[in-house]
């Protein structure tokens, strides 16, 4: 089974709030960058024809012919003579053939002398060919953004990353056979780093008068199996003429029905505003960084804002003074009021707020986390070999831990509840809420569970049944801890507050519980011989084994992975630092959800994984991007492009492949993203249509209607309500467009597009509908 989805977003009807945007005056050549969806469309879906293009009127600032020699501008490439000019699909373009042993790039200075305006909205458009499998990474220093995409059966993320398992997957995605456009909306910063990105408060030496660098990069050949190399014909910088046109209005379910959520969290981005010296900041005013986030959300149709307030336990932009200041939690004096400003900003923009915490106990001179009250079972020094994780931890069975974290919620949520609507909180401890075997924890276990005699670490090590009972007891304490946070928020005035808990600490997501290197693919015949080559073997010389998506589903391999503790080695206790999820324990719980990790197609291909994580409140899924940290290295293993990270997505409509199949197989109510960098979408037309259709559905249980479509790859789900009619989610889980598909829906009465409110034409039986790849449609029968 393969899958995709997204839905045509026509005009919709929610005013998202007042969020001031500077109106950019028109200049240069006026154009429209029409990013129409591939395949067939229904005219009844469109509403306003202007909704077909997401940016409105644009003004051309500069166009770069990438096949030219670059002598008219700052042009760099690495290695020397790394690129060449070829003719592909009738166009001359610049190609980066994969290079053995190092990454490669070409870089152009854009906008020099073009009167660029900091804070204005721009679009960076890159034309690329879909003639062959390719990987491309685009680094835009104008907004310090690094994002990549890939076509065909390429794996996308680096095959051999430095620090983690990227959980690679290859799906034979169709190629369009034509030139396509990757387009990123961004707001221009006040100053920029050169060439690549920098980490934290470091000099940013370029100004708008100088222009900024746009770099097309790729990994080394070893990390790019099957890729024919990055290829681009032109790069355009365009200014948005009417920023108000960027806002995607959302038509949400009626009041009284629960609503769905989409949100993201960025890991390596706040360094843009961290420096005390303005010369080390990308923006003169730090709050502008978050205003741009709000504008990006309103453009993409994202309704919930999330930001890390604790990063590996460290305070991010909030004031700990009322509960002890630096004695309790160290904070940055120059940014300690920023979180309150952000909440107020999001409230004015009509966006809900879901703060994110990597809690490890309070970190201050007298902080709880520094005491490291949680202790391993077999050793006394640390749970893992990762030093920055082991600097602090907290024991969730300890009442003082409950009190400690609730004080943080008092200051960061409850105190600010009048400034914006809080959805709840998102907790991800990054291995710093481990299973504790400290003496005090063992005493609490002995008091709760009758097990005869004193409970010691030695006794637990020697008695497997006692060890099992102990883990079961600890899991009940974890649920009690999370439920206590929910109750504290609700008692503090956060109505219907939800607590999301992400146990997986890794960027790529949840791996299989095995050390065996694997590649999931729908074409093992195309990969087996390739992976046997020496250059594609692991550092240990192992051959990566292929596994099909069907085998993962049939064997419940991903379900096993989701329920497994972290793999351990060398006498460490990773399995206790990263304990297993126990989602079934939460099935009948209101307001607390363990998040189901997803990214690749195989992670969403089985309904059983979703069913295990479903709760009374709904189902939360979180996409873990792989980061690809420090993978832009030279032959000496040094970075070519500063601090390098990049989130990679599939090209075109297939950027929504996993989300679409997730709706078909599990219908989540919350979709989150763990991003490695400043978030954006290179194919926004598909993300926007999916988001609008997804959020138009109420956050209620749905039923899959078997046989509702005469095409088995068009999946239909229904959501029935007592007072507001029935909603239908229709998803194309095939990899090709579907034309004139017959759909039969239960019930009688008029049928409308839930996104636009327009009637579905020809709503007799059967209804005929067409879908592009990865399309989600939302209909409603009142």
């Amino acid at each position: 089974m393969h899958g995709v989805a997204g839905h045509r977003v026509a005009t919709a009807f929610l005013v998202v709030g007042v969020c001031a945007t500077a109106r950019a005056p028109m200049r240069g050549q006026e154009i429209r960058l029409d990013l129409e969806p591939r395949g067939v469309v229904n005219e009844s879906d469109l509403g306003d024809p202007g909704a077909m293009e997401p940016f409105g009127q644009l003004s051309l600032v500069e166009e770069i012919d990438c096949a030219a020699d670059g002598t008219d501008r700052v042009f760099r490439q690495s290695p020397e003579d790394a690129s060449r000019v070829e003719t592909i699909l009738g166009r001359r373009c610049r190609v980066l053939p994969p290079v053995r042993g190092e990454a490669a790039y070409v870089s152009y200075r854009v906008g020099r002398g073009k009167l660029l305006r900091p804070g204005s909205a721009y679009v960076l458009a890159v034309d690329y060919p879909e003639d062959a499998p390719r990987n491309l990474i685009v680094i835009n220093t104008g907004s310090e953004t690094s994002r990549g995409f890939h076509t065909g059966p390429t794996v996308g993320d680096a095959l051999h990353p430095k620090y983690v398992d990227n959980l690679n997957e290859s799906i034979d995605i169709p190629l369009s056979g034509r030139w396509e456009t990757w387009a990123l909306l961004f707001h221009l910063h006040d100053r920029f780093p050169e060439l690549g990105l920098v980490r934290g408060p470091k000099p940013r030496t370029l100004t708008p008068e100088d222009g900024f660098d746009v770099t097309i990069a790729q990994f080394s050949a070893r990390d790019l199996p099957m890729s024919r190399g990055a290829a681009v014909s032109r790069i355009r910088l365009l200014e948005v003429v009417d920023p108000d046109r960027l806002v995607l209005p959302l038509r949400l379910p009626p009041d009284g029905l629960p609503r769905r959520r989409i949100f993201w969290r960025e890991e390596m981005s706040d360094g843009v505003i961290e420096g005390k010296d303005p010369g080390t900041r990308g923006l003169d005013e730090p709050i502008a960084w978050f205003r741009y986030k709000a504008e990006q959300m309103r453009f993409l149709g994202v309704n919930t804002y999330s930001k890390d307030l604790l990063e590996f336990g460290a305070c991010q932009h909030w004031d700990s003074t009322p509960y002890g200041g630096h004695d309790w939690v160290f904070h940055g004096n120059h940014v300690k009021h920023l979180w309150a400003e952000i909440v107020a900003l999001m409230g004015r923009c009509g966006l809900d707020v879901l703060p994110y915490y990597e809690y490890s106990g309070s970190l201050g001179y007298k902080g709880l986390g520094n005491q490291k009250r949680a202790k391993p079972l077999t050793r006394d020094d640390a749970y893992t070999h990762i030093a920055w994780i082991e600097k602090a931890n907290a024991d969730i069975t300890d009442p003082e831990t409950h009190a400690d974290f609730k004080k943080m919620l008092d200051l960061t949520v409850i105190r600010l509840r009048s400034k914006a609507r809080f959805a709840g909180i998102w907790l991800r401890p990054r291995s710093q809420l481990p299973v504790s075997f400290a003496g005090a924890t063992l005493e609490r276990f002995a008091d709760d569970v009758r097990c005869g005699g004193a409970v010691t670490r030695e006794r637990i090590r020697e008695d497997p049944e006692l060890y099992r009972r102990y883990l079961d007891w600890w899991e009940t304490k974890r649920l009690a801890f999370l439920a206590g946070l929910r109750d504290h928020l609700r008692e503090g005035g956060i109505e219907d507050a939800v607590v999301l808990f992400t146990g997986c600490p890794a960027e790529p997501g949840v791996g299989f519980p095995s050390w065996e290197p694997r590649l999931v693919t729908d074409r093992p015949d195309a990969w087996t011989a390739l992976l046997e080559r020496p250059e594609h073997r692991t550092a240990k010389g192992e051959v990566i084994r292929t596994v099909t998506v069907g085998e993962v589903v049939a064997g419940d391999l991903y379900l096993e992975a989701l329920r497994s503790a972290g793999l351990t080695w060398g006498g460490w206790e990773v399995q206790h630092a990263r304990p297993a999820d126990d989602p079934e324990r939460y099935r009948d719980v209101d307001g607390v959800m363990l998040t189901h990790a997803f990214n690749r197609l195989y992670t969403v291909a089985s309904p059983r994984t979703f069913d295990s994580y479903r709760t009374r409140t709904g189902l939360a899924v979180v996409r873990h991007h792989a980061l690809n940290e420090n993978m832009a290295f030279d032959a000496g293993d040094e970075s070519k492009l500063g601090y390098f990270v990049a989130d990679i997505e599939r090209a075109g409509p297939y950027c929504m492949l996993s989300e679409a199949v997730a709706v078909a197989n599990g219908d989540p109510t919350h979709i989150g993203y763990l991003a490695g960098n400043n978030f954006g979408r290179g194919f926004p037309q598909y993300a926007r249509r999916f988001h609008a259709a997804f959020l138009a559905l109420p956050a209620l249980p749905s039923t899959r209607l078997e046989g509702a479509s005469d095409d088995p790859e068009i999946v239909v789900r229904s959501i029935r309500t007592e007072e507001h009619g029935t909603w239908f989610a229709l998803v194309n889980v095939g990899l090709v467009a579907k034309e004139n598909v017959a759909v039969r829906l239960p019930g009688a009465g008029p049928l409308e597009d839930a996104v636009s409110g327009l009637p579905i034409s020809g709503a007799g039986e059967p209804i005929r509908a067409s879908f592009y790849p990865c399309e989600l449609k939302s209909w409603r029968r009142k």
Side-chain angles (χ1 to χ4, degrees):
M1 186 278 301
H2 296 156
V4 237
H7 175 59
R8 181 117 317 79
V9 173
T11 309
F13 312 107
L14 174 74
V15 177
V16 188
V18 178
C19 189
T21 305
R23 185 180 294 274
M26 181 170 55
R27 64 192 176 92
Q29 179 186 354
E30 298 174 22
I31 66 170
R32 284 187 182 274
L33 187 62
D34 290 326
L35 302 180
E36 300 199 7
R38 306 180 195 179
V40 292
V41 298
N42 294 325
E43 290 303 321
S44 63
D45 288 337
L46 303 183
D48 176 7
M52 284 298 295
E53 47 81 23
F55 304 112
Q57 199 77 17
L58 297 170
S59 173
L60 180 64
V61 177
E62 187 170 17
E63 180 173 314
I64 296 171
D65 177 2
C66 297
D69 61 13
T71 56
D72 61 335
R73 66 182 60 255
V74 176
F75 171 75
R76 287 172 280 194
Q77 60 180 322
S78 177
E80 186 177 354
D81 300 324
S83 66
R84 64 190 183 211
V85 175
E86 299 181 8
T87 298
I88 297 176
L89 299 177
R91 283 196 204 176
R92 283 168 52 81
C93 63
R94 189 164 295 276
V95 179
L96 275 172
V99 179
R100 294 187 64 180
E102 60 181 311
Y105 71 80
V106 293
S107 185
Y108 299 88
R109 181 68 52 81
V110 178
R112 182 170 60 175
K114 299 295 183 180
L115 302 178
L116 299 181
R117 284 181 272 271
S120 290
Y122 291 87
V123 174
L124 180 66
V126 177
D127 291 355
Y128 70 95
E130 275 204 18
D131 65 314
R134 299 186 186 278
N135 288 59
L136 292 87
I137 295 167
V138 184
I139 302 175
N140 170 16
T141 64
S143 65
E144 299 198 33
T145 305
S146 175
R147 295 197 64 81
F149 62 98
H150 64 116
T151 68
T154 52
V155 295
D157 293 301
L159 184 65
H160 299 284
K162 290 176 178 286
Y163 312 122
V164 294
D165 179 358
N166 269 352
L167 313 176
N168 290 111
E169 175 187 75
S170 166
I171 301 297
D172 195 5
I173 300 294
L175 299 167
S176 70
R178 65 188 189 192
W179 282 88
E180 304 288 356
T181 300
W182 177 95
L184 177 75
L185 172 73
F186 70 100
H187 288 76
L188 190 70
H189 290 185
D190 297 312
R191 58 189 62 82
F192 333 111
E194 288 195 56
L195 190 59
L197 305 183
V198 296
R199 187 174 185 178
K202 295 183 179 179
R204 289 161 166 86
T205 56
L206 298 180
T207 66
E209 291 75 19
D210 302 315
F212 60 91
D213 292 325
V214 174
T215 301
I216 308 299
Q218 66 186 18
F219 304 129
S220 70
R222 182 170 182 260
D223 290 296
L224 293 175
M226 287 204 179
S227 175
R228 296 280 294 275
V232 291
S233 65
R234 66 175 173 172
I235 297 171
R236 285 173 288 171
L237 178 64
L238 308 121
E239 189 168 11
V240 176
V241 174
D242 185 359
D244 292 339
R245 283 289 309 273
L246 294 172
V247 177
L248 174 66
L250 299 174
R251 194 168 185 263
L252 302 180
D255 291 342
L257 293 179
R259 292 175 176 175
R260 300 182 177 221
R261 299 196 175 279
I262 302 173
F263 49 94
W264 78 73
R265 177 261 174 170
E266 299 165 3
E267 182 159 355
M268 300 293 185
S269 68
D270 284 357
V272 172
I273 59 166
E274 285 301 316
K276 293 182 181 179
D277 177 2
T280 65
R281 294 201 303 259
L283 296 162
D284 291 329
E285 297 297 330
I287 194 64
W289 176 245
F290 301 99
R291 187 166 62 248
Y292 302 161
K293 304 293 179 196
E295 296 299 339
Q296 187 74 239
M297 292 172 65
R298 284 153 47 91
F299 169 68
L300 292 174
V302 172
N303 65 343
T304 304
Y305 174 74
S306 189
K307 178 200 175 325
D308 50 349
L309 298 187
L310 296 173
E311 186 173 17
F312 285 103
C315 176
Q316 302 288 300
H317 307 136
W318 55 276
D319 185 7
S320 65
T321 302
Y323 283 125
H326 294 303
D327 277 345
W328 176 48
V329 172
F330 294 121
H331 59 73
N333 288 318
H334 67 296
V335 291
K336 68 179 182 178
H337 299 300
L338 191 55
W339 173 239
E341 295 180 42
I342 295 167
V343 172
L345 168 67
M346 297 304 162
R348 292 193 300 271
C349 291
L351 299 167
D352 292 349
V353 179
L354 181 74
Y356 167 103
Y357 305 83
E358 293 181 351
Y359 178 65
S360 64
S362 50
L363 301 185
Y365 292 117
K366 301 176 183 178
L368 181 70
N370 296 327
Q371 299 172 31
K372 295 194 288 186
R373 294 187 182 183
K375 301 298 181 184
L377 177 61
T378 62
R379 53 196 304 146
D380 297 315
D381 53 347
Y383 286 85
T384 75
H385 65 294
I386 305 173
W388 61 87
I389 288 176
E390 298 300 331
K391 290 180 179 178
N393 70 39
D395 181 352
I396 60 170
T397 75
D398 186 342
E400 292 190 33
T401 300
H402 294 230
D404 187 57
F405 192 37
K406 287 176 182 177
K407 289 193 295 185
M408 296 184 182
L409 299 184
D410 289 343
L411 298 184
T412 59
V413 178
I414 294 172
R415 183 172 65 94
L416 302 173
R417 66 187 182 278
S418 65
K419 304 294 185 182
R421 186 184 186 280
F422 282 87
I425 64 166
W426 182 8
L427 176 60
R428 184 183 179 215
R430 305 303 292 267
S431 299
Q432 293 178 300
L433 291 181
V435 180
S436 174
F437 299 90
T441 318
L442 297 178
E443 289 179 9
R444 284 188 281 271
F445 170 70
D447 289 341
D448 290 347
V449 180
R450 295 182 180 181
C451 43
V455 178
T456 64
R457 291 200 296 174
E458 291 74 18
R459 184 179 170 191
I460 291 177
R461 289 197 297 263
E462 296 169 359
D463 186 339
E465 177 58 23
L466 182 60
Y467 175 71
R468 185 199 63 77
R469 292 179 66 188
Y470 190 87
L471 291 184
D472 182 75
W473 169 81
W474 185 88
E475 289 170 352
T476 66
K477 291 298 184 180
R478 176 168 62 184
L479 172 54
F481 175 71
L482 300 175
L485 301 179
R486 172 204 62 198
D487 295 343
H488 185 70
L489 291 169
R490 292 182 177 182
E491 291 164 3
I494 311 302
E495 185 178 355
D496 297 325
V498 171
V499 175
L500 303 184
F501 181 83
T502 298
C504 177
E507 283 87 15
V510 176
F512 296 114
S514 168
W515 292 113
E516 179 185 46
R518 303 181 190 182
L519 173 75
V520 180
T521 178
D522 60 348
R523 289 287 309 280
D525 58 308
W527 280 96
T528 302
L530 181 64
L531 294 174
E532 290 177 349
R533 295 179 184 175
E535 66 268 26
H536 292 312
R537 298 190 178 197
T538 69
K540 297 179 180 179
E542 302 166 294
V543 174
I544 300 173
R545 182 170 75 87
T546 59
V547 182
T548 68
V549 176
E551 289 172 334
V552 173
V553 173
D556 280 332
L557 301 184
Y558 192 58
L559 181 59
E560 179 189 7
L562 288 170
R563 293 171 171 171
S564 297
L567 290 174
T568 195
W569 59 280
W572 298 107
E573 294 188 22
V574 178
Q575 78 278 21
H576 296 142
R578 192 288 198 221
D581 280 1
D582 56 333
E584 289 82 0
R585 198 182 300 272
Y586 295 74
R587 181 179 301 276
D588 295 322
V589 175
D590 167 57
V592 180
M593 291 186 280
L594 302 188
T595 64
H596 176 298
F598 83 100
N599 40 44
R600 318 305 183 196
L601 176 59
Y602 75 81
T603 67
V604 295
S606 172
R608 288 188 291 274
T609 66
F610 296 117
D611 288 343
S612 69
Y613 276 75
R614 200 176 310 280
T615 73
R616 284 174 54 192
T617 301
L619 169 65
V621 300
V622 170
R623 181 171 193 137
H624 293 241
H625 283 287
L627 203 62
N628 294 296
E629 191 172 18
N630 293 328
M631 291 304 295
F633 52 80
D634 62 19
D637 200 30
E638 296 295 325
S639 175
K640 290 187 174 190
L641 295 169
Y643 177 65
F644 178 86
V645 297
D647 294 336
I648 313 291
E649 62 184 352
R650 289 191 170 97
Y654 308 103
C655 70
M656 302 308 295
L657 172 62
S658 296
E659 290 88 338
V661 178
V663 169
N665 286 333
D667 194 20
T669 56
H670 295 62
I671 299 179
Y673 295 84
L674 286 167
N677 184 244
N678 187 24
F679 192 78
R681 297 303 296 255
F683 303 95
Q685 65 273 37
Y686 300 110
R688 281 162 52 100
R689 288 170 172 83
F690 182 92
H691 293 166
F694 179 81
L695 293 175
L697 299 167
L700 293 170
S702 66
T703 301
R704 183 163 174 163
L705 302 180
E706 300 297 339
S709 166
D710 65 359
D711 187 318
E713 291 188 320
I714 302 299
V715 175
V716 181
R717 303 186 75 102
S718 70
I719 302 172
R720 299 185 62 183
T721 68
E722 293 184 1
E723 299 179 2
H724 301 285
T726 301
W727 277 260
F728 300 95
L730 303 91
V731 192
N732 179 6
V733 297
L735 296 180
V736 297
K738 307 287 185 175
E739 188 169 6
N740 203 30
V741 177
V743 179
R744 296 168 179 83
L745 302 178
L751 193 66
E752 69 176 22
D753 186 305
V755 172
S756 67
L758 297 175
I760 301 297
S761 60
E765 290 293 343
I767 303 163
R768 296 286 175 175
S770 297
F771 299 78
Y772 62 76
C774 299
E775 182 165 14
L776 167 67
K777 297 180 188 291
S778 295
W779 293 350
R780 180 187 178 191
R781 195 188 296 281
K782 291 186 178 179

